[in-house]
């Protein structure tokens, strides 16, 4: 069996990979690595458990809480909450660790288990490896008063909403906002936060039934949000994914505002307020070239990382930077959160609209989104992507052809036998032509 932990915890089909037995075993091992080994004698470790509304979350949460309690961990069950809310509560409660049961934007049959270290931080590779190693060992088995207690965390959502409201530089009075909650974890707290902040709120995708999460709604399905914003005459729309660590937006005309544009807007807002550390924005290599051009023009340095919010977080922590994220809508405000927070991001964007009196369309126009074509070339030897001389020569030739007016990124997938070919250019037809040409070379040279 390969490594159990992937890029964002342990994820797979519930009752196939994510079984009650696996969940309990993971919980017992994580309790040893993250809690029992680091807690002073005489005190039981404390864990916060939260989940999204998937039906399988019920039995997985029960198994995890049973595993924690059986080895001597006290548990606060926070119920259905966004991933960033759980991260905030781990820090706010000074808990020793936490866990979120969610498969994010995946369909309902999937689920996942994500652990959070002290302070609400994502785990390092070393911590994940230690948990996997511990799973093969017998856990401690206390008796009597030594076992953990499981309590309902009754005010978990209220604490999180109060925290969100404290981050806002400007109220939302006078704004009409459509929220798409993906029938997910933000279905309760996002409408509450926006309403309390003063917005007139129209809510869609906020009736979770355990099986409809991400089904036709949310940040991966923006069509309903676009239609509703226009039909309601709203100022903007905000879309979350299933666990609400992402945010994409829609302007008053129904046009999509992606994570790159959101970062551009917020980078300039923070720079104006003197809150953008070292005038630096952290983004991945997949961010649109238009973001980098706009930021350079505004005097903001873009520090690039590999693809994945964990790499963005690592770079932000290393440089103590205040803003970073991904095109997909994972936006991190490190002054307020330890992970991407879709509700927080939505509130910040809406607050900027309210404070400036400008439309979201006007604010987003600070950057020109260059046409970007992404082709996934399947059935190839991805390990040869950067060493094959014919492929390398084709990439160099295309880069020369584009000059400063475009960009090429060729990278192997981390999980599939796929090579991703991404081309940006000043017009879509040119990007499409070059991307397909390069994809043809990759397939011809690296086919399995």
């Amino acid at each position: 069996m390969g490594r159990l932990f992937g890029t964002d915890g342990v994820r797979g089909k519930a009752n196939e990979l994510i079984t009650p037995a696996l969940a309990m075993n993971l919980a017992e091992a994580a309790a040893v690595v993250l809690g029992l080994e680091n807690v002073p004698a005489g005190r039981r470790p404390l864990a916060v458990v939260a989940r999204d509304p998937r039906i399988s979350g019920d039995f997985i949460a029960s198994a995890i809480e049973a595993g924690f309690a059986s080895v001597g961990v006290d548990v606060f069950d926070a119920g259905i909450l966004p991933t960033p809310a759980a991260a905030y509560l781990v820090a706010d409660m000074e808990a020793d660790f936490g866990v979120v049961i969610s498969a994010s934007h995946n369909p309902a049959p999937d689920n996942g288990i994500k652990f959070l270290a002290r302070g609400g931080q994502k785990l390092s590779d070393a911590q994940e490896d230690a948990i996997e190693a511990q799973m093969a060992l017998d856990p401690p088995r206390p008796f009597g008063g030594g076992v953990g207690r499981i309590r309902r965390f009754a005010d978990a959502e209220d604490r999180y909403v109060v925290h969100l409201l404290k981050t806002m530089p400007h109220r939302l009075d006078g704004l009409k906002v459509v929220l798409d909650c993906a029938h997910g974890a933000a279905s309760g707290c996002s409408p509450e936060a926006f309403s309390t902040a003063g917005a007139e709120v129209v809510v869609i995708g906020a009736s979770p039934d355990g099986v409809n999460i991400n089904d036709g709604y949310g940040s991966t399905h923006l069509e309903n949000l676009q239609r509703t914003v226009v039909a309601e005459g709203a100022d903007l729309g905000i879309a979350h994914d299933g666990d609400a660590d992402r945010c994409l937006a829609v302007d008053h005309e129904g046009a999509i505002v992606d994570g790159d544009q959101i970062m551009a807007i917020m980078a300039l807002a923070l720079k104006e307020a003197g809150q953008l550390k070292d005038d630096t924005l952290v983004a991945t290599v997949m961010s649109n070239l238009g973001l980098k051009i706009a930021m350079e023009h505004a005097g903001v340095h873009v520090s690039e990382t590999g693809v994945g919010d964990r790499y963005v977080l690592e770079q932000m922590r290393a440089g103590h930077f205040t803003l970073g994220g991904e095109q997909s809508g994972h936006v991190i405000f490190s002054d307020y959160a330890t992970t991407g927070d879709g509700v927080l991001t939505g509130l910040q964007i809406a607050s900027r609209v309210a404070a400036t009196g400008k439309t979201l369309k006007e604010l987003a126009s600070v950057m020109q989104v260059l046409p970007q074509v992404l082709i996934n070339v399947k059935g190839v030897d991805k390990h040869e992507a950067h060493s094959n001389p014919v492929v390398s020569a084709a990439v160099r030739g295309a880069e020369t052809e584009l000059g400063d007016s475009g960009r090429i990124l060729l990278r192997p997938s981390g999980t599939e036998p796929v090579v991703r070919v991404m081309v940006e250019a000043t017009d879509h037809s040119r990007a499409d032509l070059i991307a397909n040409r390069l994809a043809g070379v990759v397939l011809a040279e690296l086919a399995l």
Side-chain angles (χ1 to χ4, degrees):
M1 181 178 176
R3 191 173 189 268
L4 184 60
F5 282 88
T7 55
D8 200 14
V10 180
R11 190 178 294 182
K13 270 201 171 38
N15 250 359
E16 183 177 273
L17 174 65
I18 312 295
T19 63
L22 176 72
M24 182 174 285
N25 192 196
L26 269 168
E28 292 170 344
V32 172
V33 173
L34 301 176
L36 299 178
E37 294 180 349
N38 304 305
V39 174
R43 180 173 79 79
R44 281 195 296 267
L46 175 65
V48 174
V49 177
R51 65 183 184 87
D52 71 24
R54 292 162 214 269
I55 193 168
S56 59
D58 285 333
F59 73 74
I60 297 171
S62 296
I64 285 174
E65 291 174 1
F68 283 160
S70 72
V71 297
V73 175
D74 287 339
V75 178
F76 273 168
D77 183 342
I80 294 173
L81 276 182
T83 291
Y88 166 72
L89 291 169
V90 169
D92 188 54
M93 296 295 294
E94 297 185 348
D96 296 286
F97 54 96
V99 63
V100 182
I101 301 149
S102 173
S104 188
H105 59 280
N106 284 23
D110 292 347
N111 218 322
I113 299 170
K114 296 188 281 192
F115 290 101
L116 298 162
R118 184 183 292 275
Q121 302 288 343
K122 289 196 173 188
L123 301 194
S124 65
D125 288 343
Q127 287 172 310
E128 291 176 345
D129 290 341
I131 291 171
E132 285 200 38
Q134 178 62 37
M135 289 174 72
L137 306 177
D138 290 332
R141 294 294 182 201
F143 301 99
V147 300
R149 293 167 171 80
I150 301 172
R151 299 180 178 89
R152 178 79 176 106
F153 196 162
D155 64 341
E157 186 172 291
D158 292 339
R159 282 178 181 246
Y160 175 56
V161 170
V162 168
H163 159 68
L164 291 173
L165 295 173
K166 287 179 179 178
T167 72
M168 296 182 63
H170 198 281
R171 284 183 55 82
L172 308 183
D173 302 277
L175 285 188
K176 186 174 185 178
V177 181
V178 181
L179 299 177
D180 181 349
C181 299
H183 297 307
S187 295
C189 60
S190 187
E192 181 183 350
F194 275 84
S195 297
T196 306
E200 179 186 350
V201 177
V202 177
V203 185
I204 63 174
S207 301
D209 62 10
V211 295
N212 62 355
I213 188 169
N214 301 314
D215 186 7
Y217 287 86
S219 61
T220 53
H221 304 280
L222 293 171
E223 299 83 4
N224 283 317
L225 179 61
Q226 291 173 287
R227 284 193 294 267
T228 305
V229 167
V230 174
E232 291 284 343
D235 295 289
L236 69 152
I238 297 294
H240 307 305
D241 62 338
D243 71 335
D245 63 353
R246 293 191 198 187
C247 168
L248 293 180
V250 168
D251 70 21
H252 70 287
E253 295 180 352
I256 295 170
V257 177
D258 69 12
D260 285 340
Q261 293 166 292
I262 290 170
M263 287 190 289
I265 294 167
M266 296 314 305
L268 297 188
L270 292 174
K271 185 176 188 292
E272 180 184 295
Q275 297 172 349
L276 187 67
K277 173 71 162 56
D278 292 343
D279 288 340
T280 295
L281 168 68
V282 181
T284 77
V285 293
M286 289 298 286
S287 277
N288 194 276
L289 180 59
L291 174 64
K292 190 169 185 179
I293 293 171
M295 292 298 95
E296 286 178 351
H297 181 73
V300 174
H301 171 67
V302 177
S303 178
E304 289 188 335
T305 75
V307 177
D309 65 327
R310 70 185 301 169
Y311 301 114
V312 174
L313 279 163
E314 285 173 6
Q315 190 131 316
M316 290 181 71
R317 283 198 294 265
H320 304 288
F321 298 124
T322 46
L323 182 67
E326 296 186 283
Q327 191 180 66
S328 61
H330 286 113
V331 180
I332 304 155
F333 295 84
S334 65
D335 284 346
Y336 311 122
T338 58
T339 184
D341 189 329
V343 185
L344 170 64
T345 301
L347 288 168
Q348 297 296 319
I349 284 291
S351 180
R352 184 63 174 169
V353 170
T356 61
K358 296 181 179 179
T359 66
L360 181 57
K361 180 179 180 179
E362 289 177 286
L363 293 174
S365 69
V366 68
M367 70 166 278
Q368 177 190 358
V369 179
L370 295 186
Q372 191 178 74
V373 175
L374 176 65
I375 298 176
N376 293 323
V377 187
K378 300 179 180 179
V380 295
D381 184 355
K382 64 182 182 181
H383 303 293
E384 298 294 321
H386 294 301
S387 59
N388 183 280
V390 176
V391 172
S392 297
V395 170
R396 287 195 301 271
E399 287 174 337
T400 300
E401 181 181 343
L402 285 170
D404 294 333
S405 65
R407 183 169 66 114
I408 293 168
L409 180 65
L410 188 145
R411 69 180 186 90
S413 165
T415 57
E416 306 170 83
V418 166
V419 172
R420 308 195 195 282
V421 178
M422 188 273 285
V423 177
E424 288 173 340
T426 51
D427 64 85
H428 187 274
S429 60
R430 192 179 188 199
D432 188 65
L433 179 68
I434 294 173
N436 276 283
R437 189 171 73 220
L438 287 176
V441 174
V442 170
L443 184 60
E445 288 294 317
L446 305 183
L448 293 171

